[in-house]
Amino acid sequence: GQAAPRVHVIMNLPELALDFLDAFRSMVQEATSELFSGSAVELRVHCYCFARSKDRPEEEVHPRLVTALGSVPAGTAIREVRDVAPKKNMFC
């Protein structure tokens, strides 16, 4: 069989990127894409975002993922990118 196409997305607008993740809701929930005639896909999204907490960004990020995608996808990892300002930390 043929391997599922790999879809790799980088969302580099940290202020709003999490709000646009809903565009991938069906791809996350069904692991298929109309872009590939409804076939299976392997989706990986790097989404830059801000969070106030440097130690527990998931407390702010996970609820926004649930709002956009309906769940926190398996394998989700949050990594610190840099401090932008006091109480404004960038993650991906």
Side-chain angles (χ1 to χ4, degrees):
Q2 200 172 27
R6 291 182 179 170
V7 178
H8 197 125
V9 179
I10 299 172
M11 300 178 74
N12 194 21
L13 184 61
E15 192 68 43
L16 299 172
L18 289 171
D19 298 330
F20 290 104
L21 283 174
D22 64 339
F24 300 104
R25 182 182 277 255
S26 67
M27 288 177 79
V28 169
Q29 291 177 347
E30 301 166 19
T32 62
S33 173
E34 292 304 315
L35 294 173
F36 295 95
S37 302
S39 66
V41 293
E42 183 182 319
L43 176 64
R44 176 164 295 199
V45 178
H46 295 271
C47 184
Y48 288 83
C49 61
F50 293 126
R52 288 180 289 283
S53 173
K54 189 171 187 171
D55 299 323
R56 300 193 49 85
E58 64 277 1
E59 291 178 356
E60 294 175 62
V61 175
H62 284 184
R64 294 179 70 189
L65 290 175
V66 171
T67 297
L69 300 172
S71 66
V72 176
T76 296
I78 301 174
R79 293 179 180 86
E80 183 179 359
V81 175
R82 66 185 177 101
D83 291 349
V84 177
K87 301 282 186 191
K88 192 168 191 176
N89 303 288
M90 185 186 298
F91 296 91
C92 182

